[in-house]
Amino acid sequence: MKKSTKIWLAVAGVALIVLGVVCLCKPMETLFASAWLLGCIILISGLFTLIFTFRTQMFLPNSGTRMLSSLLQIFLGIFFLASTPAVAVSLPFVFAFWVMVEGVTLFIESFDFKKFGFGNWWCICLLGIVAAALGILGFVYPKVAGETLSVLIGIGILLSGVAYLVALFGVNKFERNVNEFRNQVKEAIHE
């Protein structure tokens, strides 16, 4: 791997770790940044879908549905960007709702696992109940849900940075092993 690529990998890893720590230290700012980033992603996705729709409308059916979807994405992205504080305030509720729905889904699916003879179906059932309860608590205490979401985002970013640095050390070790193997082969050939 080129030395410049390794440098960029190291810089990206350190930057992600720093960003993760900032997210952990500034939970409310993380929610606002997440809402803004979400708005950008949805807007860009909508624009690309609209361009794709125009370029493929002769070849692919249902281009009207795709166009409607892209226009809704564009509208939603603009809404998110225009009302970032409102979106940031609603993110804990969306997060809590998602956790609650996932919990209920796990609870229901656990009985399917039981029908098929899965011995640890009760673990899935229990985790589903806990997740649903945590989702409900997120509705009751949205500030806690927002801080939890910010902490999860921060931990995710921080772990990504650590993964970059671990990957860099792994690449370095792999290159050393390859070089040692080459040297051993050269020595064996010259003997």
mmCIF file of all heavy atoms in Angstrom, residues 100-141:
data_model
loop_
_atom_site.group_PDB
_atom_site.id
_atom_site.type_symbol
_atom_site.label_atom_id
_atom_site.label_comp_id
_atom_site.label_asym_id
_atom_site.label_seq_id
_atom_site.Cartn_x
_atom_site.Cartn_y
_atom_site.Cartn_z
ATOM 1 N N MET A 100 -38.937 0.537 19.810
ATOM 2 C CA MET A 100 -40.151 -0.114 20.273
ATOM 3 C C MET A 100 -40.687 -1.092 19.230
ATOM 4 O O MET A 100 -41.026 -2.241 19.558
ATOM 5 C CB MET A 100 -41.227 0.933 20.588
ATOM 6 C CG MET A 100 -42.496 0.347 21.181
ATOM 7 S SD MET A 100 -43.755 1.590 21.476
ATOM 8 C CE MET A 100 -44.180 2.043 19.800
ATOM 9 N N VAL A 101 -40.723 -0.685 17.962
ATOM 10 C CA VAL A 101 -41.219 -1.566 16.896
ATOM 11 C C VAL A 101 -40.314 -2.778 16.741
ATOM 12 O O VAL A 101 -40.795 -3.909 16.586
ATOM 13 C CB VAL A 101 -41.350 -0.781 15.561
ATOM 14 C CG1 VAL A 101 -41.577 -1.718 14.395
ATOM 15 C CG2 VAL A 101 -42.478 0.230 15.664
ATOM 16 N N GLU A 102 -39.012 -2.567 16.790
ATOM 17 C CA GLU A 102 -38.085 -3.696 16.707
ATOM 18 C C GLU A 102 -38.300 -4.656 17.870
ATOM 19 O O GLU A 102 -38.255 -5.870 17.697
ATOM 20 C CB GLU A 102 -36.634 -3.202 16.689
ATOM 21 C CG GLU A 102 -36.204 -2.610 15.377
ATOM 22 C CD GLU A 102 -36.217 -3.615 14.241
ATOM 23 O OE1 GLU A 102 -35.689 -4.736 14.405
ATOM 24 O OE2 GLU A 102 -36.768 -3.289 13.183
ATOM 25 N N GLY A 103 -38.531 -4.125 19.051
ATOM 26 C CA GLY A 103 -38.776 -4.974 20.218
ATOM 27 C C GLY A 103 -40.034 -5.809 20.070
ATOM 28 O O GLY A 103 -40.032 -7.014 20.352
ATOM 29 N N VAL A 104 -41.114 -5.180 19.621
ATOM 30 C CA VAL A 104 -42.368 -5.907 19.415
ATOM 31 C C VAL A 104 -42.182 -6.976 18.337
ATOM 32 O O VAL A 104 -42.652 -8.116 18.478
ATOM 33 C CB VAL A 104 -43.515 -4.930 19.040
ATOM 34 C CG1 VAL A 104 -44.749 -5.678 18.580
ATOM 35 C CG2 VAL A 104 -43.836 -4.034 20.235
ATOM 36 N N THR A 105 -41.454 -6.631 17.268
ATOM 37 C CA THR A 105 -41.191 -7.594 16.191
ATOM 38 C C THR A 105 -40.408 -8.784 16.712
ATOM 39 O O THR A 105 -40.734 -9.945 16.408
ATOM 40 C CB THR A 105 -40.431 -6.909 15.033
ATOM 41 O OG1 THR A 105 -41.203 -5.798 14.565
ATOM 42 C CG2 THR A 105 -40.171 -7.868 13.897
ATOM 43 N N LEU A 106 -39.371 -8.526 17.505
ATOM 44 C CA LEU A 106 -38.589 -9.629 18.085
ATOM 45 C C LEU A 106 -39.454 -10.500 18.993
ATOM 46 O O LEU A 106 -39.353 -11.727 18.965
ATOM 47 C CB LEU A 106 -37.399 -9.081 18.881
ATOM 48 C CG LEU A 106 -36.212 -8.580 18.083
ATOM 49 C CD1 LEU A 106 -35.217 -7.896 19.002
ATOM 50 C CD2 LEU A 106 -35.557 -9.717 17.331
ATOM 51 N N PHE A 107 -40.298 -9.869 19.797
ATOM 52 C CA PHE A 107 -41.177 -10.597 20.688
ATOM 53 C C PHE A 107 -42.076 -11.550 19.896
ATOM 54 O O PHE A 107 -42.184 -12.739 20.226
ATOM 55 C CB PHE A 107 -42.021 -9.612 21.506
ATOM 56 C CG PHE A 107 -43.055 -10.271 22.370
ATOM 57 C CD1 PHE A 107 -42.699 -10.910 23.543
ATOM 58 C CD2 PHE A 107 -44.393 -10.272 21.997
ATOM 59 C CE1 PHE A 107 -43.652 -11.523 24.340
ATOM 60 C CE2 PHE A 107 -45.353 -10.881 22.779
ATOM 61 C CZ PHE A 107 -44.980 -11.512 23.951
ATOM 62 N N ILE A 108 -42.679 -11.047 18.840
ATOM 63 C CA ILE A 108 -43.580 -11.868 18.020
ATOM 64 C C ILE A 108 -42.807 -12.976 17.309
ATOM 65 O O ILE A 108 -43.238 -14.130 17.280
ATOM 66 C CB ILE A 108 -44.343 -10.980 17.013
ATOM 67 C CG1 ILE A 108 -45.308 -10.061 17.776
ATOM 68 C CG2 ILE A 108 -45.092 -11.821 15.986
ATOM 69 C CD1 ILE A 108 -45.915 -8.960 16.927
ATOM 70 N N GLU A 109 -41.645 -12.624 16.743
ATOM 71 C CA GLU A 109 -40.853 -13.620 16.011
ATOM 72 C C GLU A 109 -40.311 -14.710 16.933
ATOM 73 O O GLU A 109 -40.050 -15.826 16.483
ATOM 74 C CB GLU A 109 -39.695 -12.943 15.283
ATOM 75 C CG GLU A 109 -40.132 -12.138 14.083
ATOM 76 C CD GLU A 109 -38.973 -11.412 13.411
ATOM 77 O OE1 GLU A 109 -37.864 -11.360 13.999
ATOM 78 O OE2 GLU A 109 -39.191 -10.905 12.311
ATOM 79 N N SER A 110 -40.137 -14.403 18.203
ATOM 80 C CA SER A 110 -39.595 -15.409 19.121
ATOM 81 C C SER A 110 -40.494 -16.645 19.178
ATOM 82 O O SER A 110 -40.002 -17.765 19.309
ATOM 83 C CB SER A 110 -39.412 -14.822 20.524
ATOM 84 O OG SER A 110 -40.658 -14.572 21.142
ATOM 85 N N PHE A 111 -41.805 -16.447 19.039
ATOM 86 C CA PHE A 111 -42.717 -17.584 19.073
ATOM 87 C C PHE A 111 -42.628 -18.427 17.804
ATOM 88 O O PHE A 111 -42.855 -19.639 17.836
ATOM 89 C CB PHE A 111 -44.150 -17.110 19.343
ATOM 90 C CG PHE A 111 -44.293 -16.510 20.711
ATOM 91 C CD1 PHE A 111 -44.335 -15.136 20.881
ATOM 92 C CD2 PHE A 111 -44.327 -17.327 21.834
ATOM 93 C CE1 PHE A 111 -44.441 -14.586 22.143
ATOM 94 C CE2 PHE A 111 -44.435 -16.780 23.099
ATOM 95 C CZ PHE A 111 -44.485 -15.397 23.257
ATOM 96 N N ASP A 112 -42.245 -17.794 16.695
ATOM 97 C CA ASP A 112 -41.970 -18.558 15.477
ATOM 98 C C ASP A 112 -40.736 -19.438 15.680
ATOM 99 O O ASP A 112 -40.701 -20.588 15.247
ATOM 100 C CB ASP A 112 -41.762 -17.629 14.276
ATOM 101 C CG ASP A 112 -43.043 -16.933 13.863
ATOM 102 O OD1 ASP A 112 -44.130 -17.479 14.145
ATOM 103 O OD2 ASP A 112 -42.956 -15.862 13.243
ATOM 104 N N PHE A 113 -39.721 -18.875 16.343
ATOM 105 C CA PHE A 113 -38.525 -19.661 16.636
ATOM 106 C C PHE A 113 -38.858 -20.836 17.553
ATOM 107 O O PHE A 113 -38.310 -21.921 17.412
ATOM 108 C CB PHE A 113 -37.440 -18.787 17.277
ATOM 109 C CG PHE A 113 -36.709 -17.917 16.299
ATOM 110 C CD1 PHE A 113 -37.024 -16.571 16.171
ATOM 111 C CD2 PHE A 113 -35.717 -18.441 15.501
ATOM 112 C CE1 PHE A 113 -36.355 -15.773 15.276
ATOM 113 C CE2 PHE A 113 -35.031 -17.656 14.595
ATOM 114 C CZ PHE A 113 -35.356 -16.306 14.476
ATOM 115 N N LYS A 114 -39.775 -20.600 18.493
ATOM 116 C CA LYS A 114 -40.187 -21.666 19.400
ATOM 117 C C LYS A 114 -40.870 -22.789 18.617
ATOM 118 O O LYS A 114 -40.612 -23.979 18.865
ATOM 119 C CB LYS A 114 -41.137 -21.121 20.473
ATOM 120 C CG LYS A 114 -41.568 -22.157 21.482
ATOM 121 C CD LYS A 114 -42.501 -21.562 22.518
ATOM 122 C CE LYS A 114 -42.932 -22.644 23.500
ATOM 123 N NZ LYS A 114 -43.884 -22.148 24.480
ATOM 124 N N LYS A 115 -41.732 -22.416 17.648
ATOM 125 C CA LYS A 115 -42.432 -23.417 16.829
ATOM 126 C C LYS A 115 -41.456 -24.302 16.067
ATOM 127 O O LYS A 115 -41.707 -25.475 15.851
ATOM 128 C CB LYS A 115 -43.351 -22.731 15.815
ATOM 129 C CG LYS A 115 -44.625 -22.207 16.394
ATOM 130 C CD LYS A 115 -45.464 -21.601 15.267
ATOM 131 C CE LYS A 115 -46.518 -20.692 15.801
ATOM 132 N NZ LYS A 115 -47.237 -19.980 14.739
ATOM 133 N N PHE A 116 -40.332 -23.688 15.638
ATOM 134 C CA PHE A 116 -39.359 -24.452 14.851
ATOM 135 C C PHE A 116 -38.338 -25.166 15.721
ATOM 136 O O PHE A 116 -37.366 -25.720 15.227
ATOM 137 C CB PHE A 116 -38.656 -23.541 13.840
ATOM 138 C CG PHE A 116 -39.551 -23.075 12.738
ATOM 139 C CD1 PHE A 116 -39.936 -21.747 12.642
ATOM 140 C CD2 PHE A 116 -40.044 -23.974 11.806
ATOM 141 C CE1 PHE A 116 -40.768 -21.322 11.629
ATOM 142 C CE2 PHE A 116 -40.881 -23.557 10.790
ATOM 143 C CZ PHE A 116 -41.248 -22.228 10.709
ATOM 144 N N GLY A 117 -38.559 -25.160 17.041
ATOM 145 C CA GLY A 117 -37.717 -25.941 17.938
ATOM 146 C C GLY A 117 -36.431 -25.271 18.359
ATOM 147 O O GLY A 117 -35.533 -25.934 18.879
ATOM 148 N N PHE A 118 -36.315 -23.964 18.167
ATOM 149 C CA PHE A 118 -35.118 -23.245 18.604
ATOM 150 C C PHE A 118 -35.144 -23.139 20.115
ATOM 151 O O PHE A 118 -36.056 -22.554 20.697
ATOM 152 C CB PHE A 118 -35.058 -21.860 17.944
ATOM 153 C CG PHE A 118 -33.847 -21.067 18.294
ATOM 154 C CD1 PHE A 118 -32.584 -21.515 17.946
ATOM 155 C CD2 PHE A 118 -33.959 -19.869 18.974
ATOM 156 C CE1 PHE A 118 -31.451 -20.791 18.267
ATOM 157 C CE2 PHE A 118 -32.838 -19.124 19.302
ATOM 158 C CZ PHE A 118 -31.582 -19.585 18.939
ATOM 159 N N GLY A 119 -34.155 -23.741 20.771
ATOM 160 C CA GLY A 119 -34.147 -23.851 22.225
ATOM 161 C C GLY A 119 -34.036 -22.522 22.956
ATOM 162 O O GLY A 119 -34.546 -22.378 24.058
ATOM 163 N N ASN A 120 -33.355 -21.571 22.367
ATOM 164 C CA ASN A 120 -33.153 -20.282 23.031
ATOM 165 C C ASN A 120 -34.129 -19.217 22.552
ATOM 166 O O ASN A 120 -33.816 -18.033 22.577
ATOM 167 C CB ASN A 120 -31.713 -19.809 22.834
ATOM 168 C CG ASN A 120 -30.728 -20.706 23.539
ATOM 169 O OD1 ASN A 120 -31.030 -21.246 24.598
ATOM 170 N ND2 ASN A 120 -29.569 -20.893 22.950
ATOM 171 N N TRP A 121 -35.318 -19.619 22.176
ATOM 172 C CA TRP A 121 -36.321 -18.668 21.707
ATOM 173 C C TRP A 121 -36.663 -17.642 22.784
ATOM 174 O O TRP A 121 -36.959 -16.499 22.489
ATOM 175 C CB TRP A 121 -37.605 -19.402 21.289
ATOM 176 C CG TRP A 121 -38.311 -20.033 22.458
ATOM 177 C CD1 TRP A 121 -38.092 -21.275 22.974
ATOM 178 C CD2 TRP A 121 -39.308 -19.424 23.269
ATOM 179 N NE1 TRP A 121 -38.902 -21.480 24.066
ATOM 180 C CE2 TRP A 121 -39.657 -20.358 24.271
ATOM 181 C CE3 TRP A 121 -39.947 -18.195 23.256
ATOM 182 C CZ2 TRP A 121 -40.614 -20.087 25.230
ATOM 183 C CZ3 TRP A 121 -40.903 -17.927 24.219
ATOM 184 C CH2 TRP A 121 -41.229 -18.871 25.193
ATOM 185 N N TRP A 122 -36.565 -18.063 24.013
ATOM 186 C CA TRP A 122 -36.910 -17.193 25.131
ATOM 187 C C TRP A 122 -35.958 -15.997 25.241
ATOM 188 O O TRP A 122 -36.343 -14.940 25.721
ATOM 189 C CB TRP A 122 -36.955 -17.978 26.432
ATOM 190 C CG TRP A 122 -35.644 -18.645 26.760
ATOM 191 C CD1 TRP A 122 -35.232 -19.879 26.380
ATOM 192 C CD2 TRP A 122 -34.583 -18.076 27.510
ATOM 193 N NE1 TRP A 122 -33.967 -20.127 26.847
ATOM 194 C CE2 TRP A 122 -33.548 -19.018 27.546
ATOM 195 C CE3 TRP A 122 -34.397 -16.861 28.159
ATOM 196 C CZ2 TRP A 122 -32.338 -18.796 28.187
ATOM 197 C CZ3 TRP A 122 -33.196 -16.634 28.809
ATOM 198 C CH2 TRP A 122 -32.187 -17.601 28.825
ATOM 199 N N CYS A 123 -34.692 -16.174 24.788
ATOM 200 C CA CYS A 123 -33.747 -15.044 24.788
ATOM 201 C C CYS A 123 -34.243 -13.943 23.847
ATOM 202 O O CYS A 123 -34.212 -12.760 24.191
ATOM 203 C CB CYS A 123 -32.356 -15.502 24.358
ATOM 204 S SG CYS A 123 -31.517 -16.550 25.540
ATOM 205 N N ILE A 124 -34.692 -14.368 22.669
ATOM 206 C CA ILE A 124 -35.210 -13.411 21.698
ATOM 207 C C ILE A 124 -36.460 -12.738 22.253
ATOM 208 O O ILE A 124 -36.638 -11.523 22.125
ATOM 209 C CB ILE A 124 -35.496 -14.103 20.350
ATOM 210 C CG1 ILE A 124 -34.198 -14.659 19.769
ATOM 211 C CG2 ILE A 124 -36.157 -13.154 19.368
ATOM 212 C CD1 ILE A 124 -34.385 -15.552 18.573
ATOM 213 N N CYS A 125 -37.317 -13.522 22.893
ATOM 214 C CA CYS A 125 -38.537 -12.993 23.502
ATOM 215 C C CYS A 125 -38.191 -11.942 24.566
ATOM 216 O O CYS A 125 -38.760 -10.845 24.587
ATOM 217 C CB CYS A 125 -39.356 -14.126 24.092
ATOM 218 S SG CYS A 125 -40.918 -13.615 24.818
ATOM 219 N N LEU A 126 -37.252 -12.294 25.432
ATOM 220 C CA LEU A 126 -36.847 -11.391 26.507
ATOM 221 C C LEU A 126 -36.226 -10.108 25.947
ATOM 222 O O LEU A 126 -36.546 -9.000 26.399
ATOM 223 C CB LEU A 126 -35.876 -12.106 27.442
ATOM 224 C CG LEU A 126 -35.408 -11.332 28.660
ATOM 225 C CD1 LEU A 126 -36.595 -11.014 29.569
ATOM 226 C CD2 LEU A 126 -34.363 -12.118 29.422
ATOM 227 N N LEU A 127 -35.342 -10.248 24.955
ATOM 228 C CA LEU A 127 -34.723 -9.069 24.337
ATOM 229 C C LEU A 127 -35.776 -8.192 23.664
ATOM 230 O O LEU A 127 -35.685 -6.960 23.692
ATOM 231 C CB LEU A 127 -33.646 -9.495 23.344
ATOM 232 C CG LEU A 127 -32.390 -10.097 23.965
ATOM 233 C CD1 LEU A 127 -31.482 -10.666 22.885
ATOM 234 C CD2 LEU A 127 -31.653 -9.057 24.797
ATOM 235 N N GLY A 128 -36.771 -8.821 23.054
ATOM 236 C CA GLY A 128 -37.853 -8.061 22.441
ATOM 237 C C GLY A 128 -38.632 -7.257 23.463
ATOM 238 O O GLY A 128 -38.962 -6.093 23.238
ATOM 239 N N ILE A 129 -38.924 -7.888 24.603
ATOM 240 C CA ILE A 129 -39.651 -7.185 25.672
ATOM 241 C C ILE A 129 -38.824 -6.011 26.189
ATOM 242 O O ILE A 129 -39.336 -4.898 26.374
ATOM 243 C CB ILE A 129 -40.016 -8.164 26.808
ATOM 244 C CG1 ILE A 129 -41.064 -9.179 26.323
ATOM 245 C CG2 ILE A 129 -40.516 -7.413 28.031
ATOM 246 C CD1 ILE A 129 -41.286 -10.340 27.282
ATOM 247 N N VAL A 130 -37.528 -6.238 26.400
ATOM 248 C CA VAL A 130 -36.650 -5.173 26.901
ATOM 249 C C VAL A 130 -36.568 -4.032 25.885
ATOM 250 O O VAL A 130 -36.670 -2.847 26.248
ATOM 251 C CB VAL A 130 -35.245 -5.733 27.232
ATOM 252 C CG1 VAL A 130 -34.255 -4.615 27.498
ATOM 253 C CG2 VAL A 130 -35.322 -6.680 28.414
ATOM 254 N N ALA A 131 -36.399 -4.371 24.606
ATOM 255 C CA ALA A 131 -36.312 -3.333 23.568
ATOM 256 C C ALA A 131 -37.611 -2.534 23.482
ATOM 257 O O ALA A 131 -37.590 -1.301 23.392
ATOM 258 C CB ALA A 131 -35.985 -3.959 22.220
ATOM 259 N N ALA A 132 -38.752 -3.221 23.529
ATOM 260 C CA ALA A 132 -40.042 -2.513 23.480
ATOM 261 C C ALA A 132 -40.187 -1.601 24.693
ATOM 262 O O ALA A 132 -40.639 -0.454 24.566
ATOM 263 C CB ALA A 132 -41.189 -3.513 23.410
ATOM 264 N N ALA A 133 -39.790 -2.084 25.865
ATOM 265 C CA ALA A 133 -39.874 -1.260 27.079
ATOM 266 C C ALA A 133 -38.959 -0.040 26.972
ATOM 267 O O ALA A 133 -39.345 1.075 27.347
ATOM 268 C CB ALA A 133 -39.512 -2.099 28.306
ATOM 269 N N LEU A 134 -37.747 -0.239 26.442
ATOM 270 C CA LEU A 134 -36.833 0.896 26.266
ATOM 271 C C LEU A 134 -37.389 1.898 25.260
ATOM 272 O O LEU A 134 -37.227 3.113 25.420
ATOM 273 C CB LEU A 134 -35.450 0.405 25.829
ATOM 274 C CG LEU A 134 -34.640 -0.315 26.904
ATOM 275 C CD1 LEU A 134 -33.364 -0.908 26.315
ATOM 276 C CD2 LEU A 134 -34.324 0.620 28.059
ATOM 277 N N GLY A 135 -38.040 1.405 24.210
ATOM 278 C CA GLY A 135 -38.675 2.305 23.248
ATOM 279 C C GLY A 135 -39.771 3.131 23.889
ATOM 280 O O GLY A 135 -39.873 4.342 23.661
ATOM 281 N N ILE A 136 -40.575 2.500 24.712
ATOM 282 C CA ILE A 136 -41.638 3.219 25.420
ATOM 283 C C ILE A 136 -41.037 4.251 26.376
ATOM 284 O O ILE A 136 -41.503 5.392 26.456
ATOM 285 C CB ILE A 136 -42.556 2.228 26.163
ATOM 286 C CG1 ILE A 136 -43.347 1.400 25.142
ATOM 287 C CG2 ILE A 136 -43.498 2.956 27.110
ATOM 288 C CD1 ILE A 136 -44.068 0.201 25.729
ATOM 289 N N LEU A 137 -39.975 3.866 27.072
ATOM 290 C CA LEU A 137 -39.292 4.824 27.955
ATOM 291 C C LEU A 137 -38.727 6.005 27.165
ATOM 292 O O LEU A 137 -38.690 7.130 27.670
ATOM 293 C CB LEU A 137 -38.166 4.131 28.726
ATOM 294 C CG LEU A 137 -38.593 3.289 29.915
ATOM 295 C CD1 LEU A 137 -37.400 2.526 30.487
ATOM 296 C CD2 LEU A 137 -39.243 4.141 30.980
ATOM 297 N N GLY A 138 -38.300 5.740 25.919
ATOM 298 C CA GLY A 138 -37.811 6.816 25.066
ATOM 299 C C GLY A 138 -38.889 7.841 24.762
ATOM 300 O O GLY A 138 -38.609 9.032 24.637
ATOM 301 N N PHE A 139 -40.131 7.390 24.646
ATOM 302 C CA PHE A 139 -41.237 8.324 24.447
ATOM 303 C C PHE A 139 -41.505 9.129 25.720
ATOM 304 O O PHE A 139 -41.806 10.311 25.670
ATOM 305 C CB PHE A 139 -42.517 7.586 24.043
ATOM 306 C CG PHE A 139 -42.578 7.263 22.587
ATOM 307 C CD1 PHE A 139 -42.532 5.950 22.160
ATOM 308 C CD2 PHE A 139 -42.697 8.256 21.640
ATOM 309 C CE1 PHE A 139 -42.586 5.632 20.827
ATOM 310 C CE2 PHE A 139 -42.752 7.960 20.303
ATOM 311 C CZ PHE A 139 -42.702 6.642 19.885
ATOM 312 N N VAL A 140 -41.415 8.452 26.858
ATOM 313 C CA VAL A 140 -41.700 9.112 28.130
ATOM 314 C C VAL A 140 -40.586 10.096 28.492
ATOM 315 O O VAL A 140 -40.848 11.187 29.008
ATOM 316 C CB VAL A 140 -41.884 8.059 29.246
ATOM 317 C CG1 VAL A 140 -42.074 8.717 30.598
ATOM 318 C CG2 VAL A 140 -43.067 7.150 28.925
ATOM 319 N N TYR A 141 -39.342 9.705 28.198
ATOM 320 C CA TYR A 141 -38.180 10.545 28.509
ATOM 321 C C TYR A 141 -37.391 10.827 27.228
ATOM 322 O O TYR A 141 -36.321 10.253 26.997
ATOM 323 C CB TYR A 141 -37.273 9.848 29.533
ATOM 324 C CG TYR A 141 -37.964 9.520 30.829
ATOM 325 C CD1 TYR A 141 -38.354 8.211 31.119
ATOM 326 C CD2 TYR A 141 -38.232 10.509 31.756
ATOM 327 C CE1 TYR A 141 -38.992 7.910 32.311
ATOM 328 C CE2 TYR A 141 -38.873 10.213 32.947
ATOM 329 C CZ TYR A 141 -39.253 8.916 33.216
ATOM 330 O OH TYR A 141 -39.884 8.621 34.389
#
